[in-house]
Amino acid sequence: MMNFFNDFDNEPNDETPHIMPIFTEIKGEEDGNIDGKIDEKDMPILALRNMVLFPGITLPVAVGRNKSLRLIQDAQKKKCKIGVVCQVNGNTEDPGYSDLYHKGVVADIIKVFELPDNTTNVLLQGRSCINLKNVVSHEPYLTGEVELYDDILPDEDDKEFDALMLSVKELTYDILKNVGEGAKELAFAIRNIDNPIYLINFLAVNCPIEPAVKQELLEENEVKQRAYKLYSLLSKQAQLLAIKADIQSKAREDLSQQQREHFLQQQIRTIQDELGNTSDDDIDELQKRASEKKWNAETGQAFEKELKKLERINPQSPDFSVQYAYLDTLLNLPWNEYTTDNFNLKRVENKLNKDHYGLEKVKDRILEHLAVLKLRGDMKAPIICLYGPPGVGKTSLGKSIADALNRKYVRVSLGGLHDEAEIRGHRRTYIGAMPGRIIQGLIKSESANPVFVLDEIDKIGQDFKGDPSSALLEVLDPEQNNHFHDNYIDIDFDLSKILFIATANSLAGLSQPLLDRMEIIEINGYIQEEKIEIARKHLIPKQLAEHGFAAKEIDFPKATIAKMIDSYTRESGVRQLDKTIAKALRRIARLKASNEEFPTTIAVEQLKDLLGPEEYFRDKYEGNEFAGVVTGLAWTAVGGEILFVESSISRGKGEKLTLTGNLGDVMKESAVIALQYLKAHSSLFGIDYELFDKYNVHIHVPEGAIPKDGPSAGVTMVTSLVSTFTQRKVRPNLAMTGEITLRGKVLPVGGIKEKILAAKRAGIVDIILCKENKKDIDEIKEIYLKGLNFHFVSTIKEVIDIALLPEKIDNPIEL
């Protein structure tokens, strides 16, 4: 007879989905009945872990706790019966009344075994059921007050109970058919049990169910109801075993196919080993890396297909390295690997303000995007194009945005790019094929949602190899780039989570479809006040560190920085200013390194020694002593400037208009329009029409070496011509800008902010603008408009009324 001992001190919950092969010694009431005293007031109580003993059942138990060992020893000496109950929680080391189930059984100690490993096992046989009313004492072991009672038996002629027991036996046999070792012996034991009550209790003990469920069976006083509950539990076990058998059958079929494939692969590898070709390590490494990727099923299937191709290629073949490089590229891509965005809008705003002075529109756009992303949880990333002159911080802004969003940063320079394959990648059929710049950038960033800066997008070229700007249409289209197709990897990749930021100096060279896919944000040049703050907060500290000076060791006062901006730089951005500061610090560093005295505060007077003679001289207002000299406002790539339009007349046939000053076609057209308008409306300004027949007109814009173009000098030319023909003075400290039409209308122009600031630097007080340009004035901070008077006009007549004074100049020309 085999015995299966369960350690009630350390035994885990019995959760195995089949009948455990527990064999118990089957005895009737008359066989094995051991005498013993019963003390219902002070009965020793043995607590079992994860085990429930039923009446009539013999159960082997391993005893481990000291209290339990002492209880067994005393009970055996006194030949008394003990109470056996199950713990509610098997992990409780020293259970009390509340830690025990209150229904158990009275048990006899059949035999005690001392094993060679110093463990003690005891064989218990359950008798009657008991109710544990309370615990009398805890030392030296548990004793309690119990109440004996018997189960309620069914009637002898209860046919329903007989049929139920037959069903229980048949169900048990069905279960045992799916159980492995020990099933035949257990089935034989069950077949020889004639007592139905004993059979119910026997199956309840050996059924692989939770102790709490077994306790519920024990607490069922009616044996018939206990049999129904047992049948229900056995039915569940039968269903679980059937499902398990089905799963095992399918698994065996799959395993057979896997074994076949494995066998074939082993044959291929054996052949390759015989030929001296070993690539197992490389392939195993690829498989290991692939198991860690987060790609979808379609990508995984494509990878497995390509990996099988690699296994069939001779490692000595050139095709092996090509195929291996392709698979390595797939594994290096960040499939569904994202960094977590930082949604602390205040922190992002502080970061952007710290790194960049000004640029309010761009900062607001980034904060708006983050706000929507935070509220919605997910959205397609916008495509932003920062457009403006060089040196204003377009590229560095992308780095700051990446840091603020807690994203990776990737920058790709598109300047001079003329091959479409640089964007879409080469097909793998070409020698030296590689993925495009977008995929390469993602591999470098190790993230599928970086901030991706496409620098100098307006410098893209095209030739017989294709048009890269057309290839960018798919990349920069939020409706398409979630399935971007690179020719090299040949699998769709999702670019929709990338925050693309394109930069451009001019939009003239960009195609309309490409412009339509981007949100254009214009970055104007910095004004002098902004450049001073940028120099103080960013450029000077950076250059001090780069030239070996301590922080604040060299002081640049605001007046000195302003002089450097005016006299040594001419730009919209601050790149040249950065170089100028570096040049000054190099001179000072030389003095310090030579142990000579060096200045710690740079005065304006010292700039000539540090930087040399002044390189630029800004135009200043020159007065109104001459007729026909009018101050205009112009926009350049390096900021706003004032310019002078001069006109003169000379005797002739009156059909000649001479234009000088390196003027472009549009500006020449403005001059023609101005003269024709004046001829058509001469009486409006008190000009004799016959003068146009007797005098030729010459219009000149000084600084002829500098090309000039655009329509914004139209009103300036009209005013200059009227002043020349009437010899009237121009209002002092006046400048103007605006386009004109033959009907005498004044149209709005661009670059207002730069032009206004140029006028203020030149000492201009009054400025004439088109009424529609008032909205541009409203966007400029009030501090920069202090001391300026604006005159908004709609017609040329209004311009002349404001610009020209009634009095004539001294020594006018008699016409």
Side-chain angles (χ1 to χ4, degrees):
M1 181 71 68
M2 295 178 61
N3 288 321
F4 185 88
F5 291 91
N6 293 306
D7 183 357
F8 63 85
D9 281 339
N10 301 298
E11 182 71 9
N13 289 340
D14 189 0
E15 296 178 352
T16 50
H18 61 274
I19 296 291
M20 298 292 295
I22 299 176
F23 296 87
T24 63
E25 186 171 354
I26 304 171
K27 298 183 179 182
E29 290 295 326
E30 72 287 348
D31 184 18
N33 212 358
I34 296 178
D35 294 332
K37 296 180 290 183
I38 296 179
D39 185 357
E40 294 186 39
K41 299 295 184 182
D42 192 14
M43 177 177 284
I45 303 297
L46 179 64
L48 301 184
R49 287 176 172 169
N50 304 323
M51 300 175 66
V52 179
L53 181 61
F54 281 75
I57 303 301
T58 302
L59 188 67
V61 174
V63 180
R65 285 181 284 205
N66 292 331
K67 285 187 177 182
S68 300
L69 285 171
R70 182 170 295 181
L71 183 151
I72 295 298
Q73 291 169 357
D74 287 355
Q76 193 176 27
K77 289 179 182 178
K78 297 177 183 178
K79 295 185 178 181
C80 68
K81 298 183 184 295
I82 64 173
V84 180
V85 293
C86 180
Q87 294 181 195
V88 176
N89 185 350
N91 295 323
T92 305
E93 285 298 325
D94 190 11
Y97 182 73
S98 60
D99 300 316
L100 302 173
Y101 289 109
H102 298 157
K103 183 165 184 178
V105 295
V106 174
D108 288 328
I109 300 175
I110 305 289
K111 194 169 185 179
V112 178
F113 303 92
E114 297 291 341
L115 299 182
D117 59 355
N118 294 323
T119 59
T120 300
N121 293 329
V122 60
L123 193 62
L124 300 176
Q125 186 171 33
R127 293 301 181 184
S128 300
C129 294
I130 60 171
N131 276 326
L132 179 62
K133 300 175 71 174
N134 60 10
V135 171
V136 176
S137 68
H138 289 268
E139 297 296 338
Y141 43 78
L142 282 178
T143 60
E145 181 182 354
V146 300
E147 179 184 1
L148 295 170
Y149 71 93
D150 293 324
D151 289 332
I152 301 174
L153 303 178
D155 297 335
E156 293 185 1
D157 57 349
D158 191 339
K159 302 299 183 185
E160 181 182 352
F161 180 73
D162 295 340
L164 178 59
M165 292 310 300
L166 286 175
S167 299
V168 168
K169 275 194 174 185
E170 291 175 359
L171 189 56
T172 304
Y173 295 148
D174 290 339
I175 292 173
L176 292 176
K177 289 178 183 178
N178 295 319
V179 177
E181 184 181 358
K184 290 184 179 180
E185 292 85 350
L186 195 56
F188 177 78
I190 293 172
R191 191 172 289 111
N192 286 283
I193 297 176
D194 296 327
N195 188 334
I197 300 171
Y198 182 82
L199 177 62
I200 292 171
N201 293 342
F202 177 78
L203 294 177
V205 170
N206 289 281
C207 186
I209 54 178
E210 298 287 339
V213 180
K214 290 183 179 181
Q215 183 69 28
E216 290 179 7
L217 290 175
L218 178 64
E219 293 179 1
E220 180 56 61
N221 292 341
E222 292 190 20
V223 175
K224 185 176 180 180
Q225 291 301 319
R226 187 184 298 170
Y228 270 116
K229 289 184 178 181
L230 178 64
Y231 181 80
S232 176
L233 292 171
L234 292 174
S235 297
K236 291 179 181 178
Q237 291 297 321
Q239 293 174 17
L240 288 174
L241 286 172
I243 294 171
K244 179 184 176 183
D246 185 50
I247 293 172
Q248 288 176 338
S249 175
K250 292 180 180 178
R252 278 194 294 270
E253 292 177 3
D254 293 341
L255 186 61
S256 299
Q257 179 65 21
Q258 291 175 3
Q259 288 175 336
R260 179 174 177 275
E261 292 177 359
H262 177 73
F263 177 72
L264 293 174
Q265 292 293 342
Q266 286 298 114
Q267 286 185 321
I268 292 174
R269 292 180 182 178
T270 303
I271 295 171
Q272 289 178 341
D273 290 342
E274 291 295 326
L275 294 173
N277 307 326
T278 56
S279 61
D280 290 354
D281 293 341
D282 292 335
I283 293 174
D284 290 343
E285 180 190 358
L286 292 176
Q287 288 177 329
K288 181 180 178 181
R289 290 169 60 190
S291 65
E292 299 171 356
K293 301 304 289 184
K294 300 177 182 178
W295 50 33
N296 55 33
E298 181 181 353
T299 306
Q301 291 172 2
F303 177 84
E304 291 295 331
K305 181 180 178 182
E306 297 296 332
L307 184 63
K308 289 179 180 178
K309 288 183 183 178
L310 181 67
E311 292 175 345
R312 295 193 294 268
I313 298 175
N314 186 339
Q316 307 302 322
S317 170
D319 292 339
F320 183 88
S321 60
V322 172
Q323 185 71 2
Y324 184 88
Y326 170 70
L327 293 173
D328 187 59
T329 301
L330 286 183
L331 291 171
N332 287 332
L333 272 172
W335 300 92
N336 297 319
E337 297 175 12
Y338 304 105
T339 56
T340 304
D341 285 340
N342 178 12
F343 292 117
N344 188 337
L345 300 184
K346 198 65 180 176
R347 177 187 175 279
V348 174
E349 184 177 7
N350 291 338
K351 174 67 176 174
L352 294 177
N353 289 333
K354 178 183 177 183
D355 292 349
H356 288 81
Y357 188 85
L359 306 181
E360 303 301 334
K361 285 186 179 179
V362 188
K363 295 174 183 176
D364 287 343
R365 181 64 187 88
I366 297 302
L367 292 172
E368 288 167 4
H369 168 65
L370 266 187
V372 175
L373 197 63
K374 182 177 182 179
L375 295 177
R376 180 173 173 176
D378 185 26
M379 67 176 292
K380 294 178 180 177
I383 314 296
I384 296 173
C385 180
L386 304 179
Y387 150 62
V392 295
K394 300 186 297 295
T395 304
S396 61
L397 187 67
K399 178 64 175 173
S400 296
I401 292 172
D403 291 341
L405 298 181
N406 197 30
R407 290 192 179 191
K408 298 296 183 66
Y409 172 73
V410 183
R411 174 184 168 272
V412 172
S413 178
L414 301 180
L417 200 69
H418 54 80
D419 188 355
E420 179 186 348
E422 293 285 342
I423 303 297
R424 290 188 180 278
H426 305 83
R427 297 193 180 277
R428 282 187 289 148
T429 52
Y430 295 104
I431 296 174
M434 62 178 62
R437 297 281 188 94
I438 306 299
I439 296 299
Q440 290 180 32
L442 290 172
I443 292 174
K444 186 187 301 183
S445 72
E446 299 179 348
S447 167
N449 64 335
V451 172
F452 207 115
V453 175
L454 300 172
D455 214 5
E456 309 292 352
I457 196 172
D458 57 325
K459 309 297 192 302
I460 292 179
Q462 60 180 4
D463 59 11
F464 65 93
K465 295 180 181 179
D467 182 6
S469 61
S470 298
L472 281 174
L473 295 179
E474 181 186 3
V475 176
L476 301 182
D477 190 343
E479 300 300 326
Q480 299 181 35
N481 62 8
N482 57 337
H483 293 93
F484 172 69
H485 189 86
D486 185 276
N487 291 328
Y488 181 77
I489 65 173
D490 204 25
I491 300 173
D492 290 346
F493 195 91
D494 185 6
L495 305 182
S496 63
K497 303 297 188 298
I498 299 175
L499 177 56
F500 284 104
I501 299 178
T503 69
N505 298 129
S506 172
L507 302 181
L510 294 176
S511 65
Q512 188 59 42
L514 190 57
L515 284 173
D516 187 55
R517 284 162 168 78
M518 299 186 293
E519 180 178 347
I520 307 298
I521 300 178
E522 183 177 2
I523 301 181
N524 297 317
Y526 295 114
I527 61 176
Q528 187 179 55
E529 290 80 358
E530 290 176 334
K531 288 182 180 180
I532 292 173
E533 292 301 319
I534 292 171
R536 291 178 62 248
K537 293 181 179 179
H538 301 286
L539 304 183
I540 293 174
K542 182 189 75 172
Q543 291 298 343
L544 284 173
E546 290 183 358
H547 288 80
F549 292 100
K552 299 182 179 180
E553 185 175 356
I554 307 296
D555 181 38
F556 287 82
K558 287 187 177 182
T560 303
I561 300 173
K563 182 64 175 177
M564 294 171 71
I565 295 169
D566 282 338
S567 302
Y568 294 93
T569 68
R570 178 161 287 183
E571 58 178 347
S572 290
V574 292
R575 190 171 288 146
Q576 188 63 36
L577 177 59
D578 192 34
K579 294 178 181 177
T580 304
I581 294 171
K583 182 179 179 181
L585 289 176
R586 283 197 300 271
R587 296 288 179 91
I588 299 173
R590 180 178 176 181
L591 295 174
K592 182 179 180 181
S594 303
N595 295 321
E596 298 180 21
E597 185 178 353
F598 62 92
T600 56
T601 300
I602 311 302
V604 174
E605 298 77 18
Q606 295 173 300
L607 288 180
K608 186 174 182 180
D609 296 333
L610 295 174
L611 302 175
E614 297 181 12
E615 298 180 17
Y616 304 102
F617 299 91
R618 291 199 178 272
D619 293 325
K620 299 296 181 183
Y621 177 73
E622 295 183 354
N624 62 344
E625 292 81 12
F626 300 95
V629 179
V630 183
T631 306
L633 299 175
W635 178 92
T636 69
V638 295
E641 296 287 349
I642 66 169
L643 55 79
F644 301 100
V645 175
E646 302 175 350
S647 64
S648 64
I649 55 177
S650 59
R651 288 188 178 274
K653 294 182 180 181
E655 298 177 354
K656 187 176 181 182
L657 172 63
T658 304
L659 301 172
T660 57
N662 201 352
L663 307 184
D665 292 338
V666 177
M667 202 165 183
K668 290 178 181 178
E669 291 172 356
S670 295
V672 173
I673 293 171
L675 182 58
Q676 293 302 319
Y677 170 81
L678 197 56
K679 286 181 179 181
H681 301 84
S682 58
S683 60
L684 192 63
F685 305 106
I687 301 173
D688 186 357
Y689 181 78
E690 293 181 357
L691 292 176
F692 296 105
D693 295 331
K694 297 177 182 180
Y695 290 89
N696 295 324
V697 178
H698 186 171
I699 298 177
H700 175 67
V701 182
E703 297 189 31
I706 301 175
K708 310 168 191 71
D709 202 5
S712 62
V715 293
T716 314
M717 290 179 172
V718 171
T719 306
S720 175
L721 290 174
V722 174
S723 175
T724 298
F725 277 104
T726 62
Q727 295 294 293
R728 291 166 60 185
K729 277 189 174 183
V730 180
R731 181 190 291 266
N733 299 311
L734 172 76
M736 60 187 70
T737 183
E739 183 180 353
I740 59 171
T741 70
L742 281 175
R743 295 175 297 158
K745 297 290 185 182
V746 178
L747 302 181
V749 292
I752 296 298
K753 178 182 177 182
E754 288 82 358
K755 293 176 180 179
I756 297 303
L757 297 170
K760 187 176 181 181
R761 287 194 299 267
I764 300 297
V765 175
D766 294 287
I767 298 176
I768 297 177
L769 296 171
C770 174
K771 281 186 178 180
E772 295 181 24
N773 281 126
K774 188 176 186 304
K775 66 181 187 302
D776 300 298
I777 301 299
D778 295 338
E779 292 182 0
I780 303 175
K781 292 182 179 179
E782 189 174 348
I783 187 174
Y784 303 137
L785 304 178
K786 190 176 181 180
L788 296 176
N789 298 319
F790 294 95
H791 305 274
F792 298 102
V793 298
S794 300
T795 64
I796 295 175
K797 180 68 169 59
E798 295 178 52
V799 174
I800 301 302
D801 291 342
I802 297 171
L804 298 184
L805 300 175
E807 60 185 288
K808 293 189 177 183
I809 63 170
D810 298 333
N811 302 317
I813 299 174
E814 295 295 333
L815 301 178

